[in-house]
Amino acid sequence: MRVQDKVVIITGAANGIGAATARIFAREGAKIVAADINRQDGERLVQELREGGAEAIFVEVNVAEEASAQRLMERTLEAFGRIDVLINNAGIHRDGWLVKMSEEAWDLVIDVNLKGVFNCGKHAAKVMMDQGRGVIINTTSVVGLYGNMGQSNYAASKFGVIGLTKTWAKELAPRGIRVNAVAPGYTMTAMMDTVPEKILSAIKEKTPLKRLGEPEDVAYAYLYLASDEASYVNGAVLSVDGGFVIG
Ligand code: NAI
């Protein structure tokens, strides 16, 4: 068991990469706090994890609101008494060309993807500093490394997540907290539902491994970074993209 008895908060756990992560971490012995804005799917997932023998709770959260993020940490402490790992996985996109992008689409994506990571990181770090140990894993994207047409808001948020990751890796390491990021490539979740088949084929073709990512591909990267195997890894951005962005 690679994360035996560790208390792991996963934001955006109700679907996609977050749900795959919750299942894999539960199998590896973690106590799961599945945090999501979607109560129905989140509670269904937690039920499934419990039926499989895991300790798990669902906490409804809107990561974009600081008070909600703070409550998430409080609920975790009430249930499990500590926070070993925070995986800032929740994220959304509202794509559009620069000149057509509304202020609302800009604000929403920045609020969830960037401020959400700040909110949860800030309140988890307070707890982890008191503990003298902890791990924070943030989720960026290939788009956060190289940009992408039609994704000004998403790209800015994901570049920002890398900034937070590197800053916290410096600021929190002396307090026993490691901070890293994972940069998924195109991964088959609901987030890809709106991408036309023609584009998916082109992405596959451009990827040296000739396939799209599965949610589990990203979950296993989170697992490595969360585990003690990564105890000397800090401030890294681990790409999980089949080699899409090489060169
Ligand atoms: P998804 O859409 O399948 O799941 C996202 C989850 O986040 C959902 O359960 C949703 O309810 C939750 N969520 C949305 N807004 C929230 C909020 N304000 N507070 C709390 N929870 C909220 O997405 P997916 O694909 O699993 O993405 C997970 C992460 O991976 C995101 O940060 C995304 O940007 C990133 N990513 C995904 C890629 C992909 O191709 N699927 C590629 C690169 C990065």
Side-chain angles (χ1 to χ4, degrees):
M1 300 268 195
R2 293 170 68 190
V3 282
Q4 182 72 44
D5 290 330
K6 287 192 196 287
V7 177
V8 180
I9 300 174
I10 304 160
T11 70
N15 293 287
I17 293 167
T21 302
R23 291 187 181 103
I24 287 172
F25 274 65
R27 232 170 40 217
E28 293 293 336
K31 299 176 185 187
I32 305 294
V33 179
D36 206 289
I37 203 166
N38 181 335
R39 172 170 285 278
Q40 199 182 353
D41 290 357
E43 284 185 337
R44 194 180 309 132
L45 173 79
V46 162
Q47 178 69 20
E48 176 200 316
L49 298 178
R50 286 183 179 157
E51 282 166 11
E55 278 188 68
I57 61 165
F58 172 73
V59 180
E60 187 172 336
V61 67
N62 179 359
V63 295
E65 290 174 4
E66 181 168 10
S68 184
Q70 187 171 2
R71 271 199 306 280
L72 167 61
M73 306 311 153
E74 289 164 1
R75 285 283 295 110
T76 303
L77 290 179
E78 279 161 26
F80 296 122
R82 58 178 205 280
I83 302 169
D84 295 308
V85 180
L86 166 68
I87 305 179
N88 276 315
N89 167 79
I92 59 167
H93 65 100
R94 296 289 183 278
D95 300 346
W97 298 112
L98 170 62
V99 292
K100 292 188 173 165
M101 186 171 284
S102 67
E103 185 177 5
E104 189 191 4
W106 170 266
D107 285 345
L108 184 62
V109 170
I110 297 295
D111 281 355
V112 174
N113 293 10
L114 184 57
K115 191 172 155 202
V117 171
F118 168 76
N119 287 338
C120 293
K122 173 179 168 183
H123 288 282
K126 285 185 184 172
V127 176
M128 291 175 178
M129 283 164 76
D130 288 343
Q131 297 171 168
R133 61 175 291 147
V135 174
I136 298 175
I137 301 166
N138 296 328
T139 311
T140 176
S141 166
V142 284
V143 174
L145 289 164
Y146 295 91
N148 194 25
M149 288 189 296
Q151 291 198 301
S152 297
N153 49 1
Y154 187 82
S157 73
K158 294 299 188 180
F159 269 83
V161 166
I162 295 180
L164 291 178
T165 304
K166 296 195 179 214
T167 299
W168 295 350
K170 291 179 178 170
E171 201 172 307
L172 300 177
R175 310 300 295 265
I177 303 165
R178 292 190 295 107
V179 187
N180 293 290
V182 173
Y186 296 88
T187 307
M188 289 314 292
T189 68
M191 196 171 263
M192 300 296 284
D193 282 355
T194 51
V195 180
E197 192 51 48
K198 218 171 84 185
I199 307 246
L200 292 180
S201 301
I203 293 167
K204 255 187 247 178
E205 199 40 50
K206 186 177 180 287
T207 303
L209 284 177
K210 301 293 176 212
R211 69 170 176 89
L212 298 171
E214 295 297 332
E216 291 74 16
D217 293 318
V218 181
Y220 280 117
Y222 289 153
L223 180 64
Y224 166 64
L225 292 171
S227 75
D228 295 339
E229 295 155 20
S231 62
Y232 199 54
V233 182
N234 187 38
V237 181
L238 176 54
S239 289
V240 181
D241 62 7
F244 184 76
V245 291
I246 297 171

